[in-house]
Amino acid sequence: MARIVVADDDIDIRELVEFKLSSLGHDVTVVGDGAAALEACRAERPDLCVLDVMMPGVSGLDAIRLIREDDALRDLPVILLTARAQQADVATGLDSGADDYITKPFSPRELAARVEALLAR
């Protein structure tokens, strides 16, 4: 079982991701924006973080940059889960420090497989 922080401003996406990852036995904390994700990561020291890119306030890209600048969180695996699907968006996401990039709409089964693969590293 892993501790996972999920940040998305869409409650339906948060609930879907939480349900899927919880059903795999993970302890999932869900939040609605990047600032709350950063706060949860600092407080809980999760094993993985799943971030939406487009969120109010602190975006997922801003959050991942702050995570990578924090000595205690620098090695935290991060998956970006976003509707931004252009090649330039994917490149920006990976260049910002994401370990994986999943576009919406997404398959919960694929998300689960990628989460498990990243946690296995």
Side-chain angles (χ1 to χ4, degrees):
M1 176 176 85
R3 289 183 319 272
I4 302 173
V5 170
V6 175
D8 199 302
D9 59 329
D10 183 324
I11 191 165
D12 293 329
I13 298 292
R14 283 196 314 261
E15 288 177 352
L16 174 62
V17 173
E18 179 182 26
F19 174 78
K20 184 61 179 177
L21 298 180
S22 294
S23 71
L24 296 173
H26 299 300
D27 179 20
V28 181
T29 299
V30 293
V31 296
D33 60 58
L38 191 57
E39 190 175 303
C41 287
R42 287 179 174 150
E44 299 183 23
R45 305 287 187 216
D47 301 298
L48 176 71
C49 184
V50 178
L51 297 171
D52 182 17
V53 170
M54 296 179 295
M55 294 184 286
V58 177
S59 74
L61 293 177
D62 292 335
I64 197 170
R65 286 184 187 106
L66 293 168
I67 286 169
R68 295 296 178 238
E69 291 172 2
D70 186 320
D71 289 338
L73 299 174
R74 179 169 289 136
D75 296 327
L76 174 67
V78 176
I79 295 175
L80 291 177
L81 179 64
T82 179
R84 301 193 62 131
Q86 298 295 319
Q87 282 186 340
D89 297 321
V90 176
T92 298
L94 295 173
D95 288 345
S96 71
D99 296 282
D100 202 350
Y101 195 100
I102 302 172
T103 57
K104 298 175 186 174
F106 65 96
S107 158
R109 182 178 291 169
E110 179 184 358
L111 172 66
R114 290 186 184 213
V115 163
E116 295 301 322
L118 200 49
L119 290 171
R121 286 188 194 168

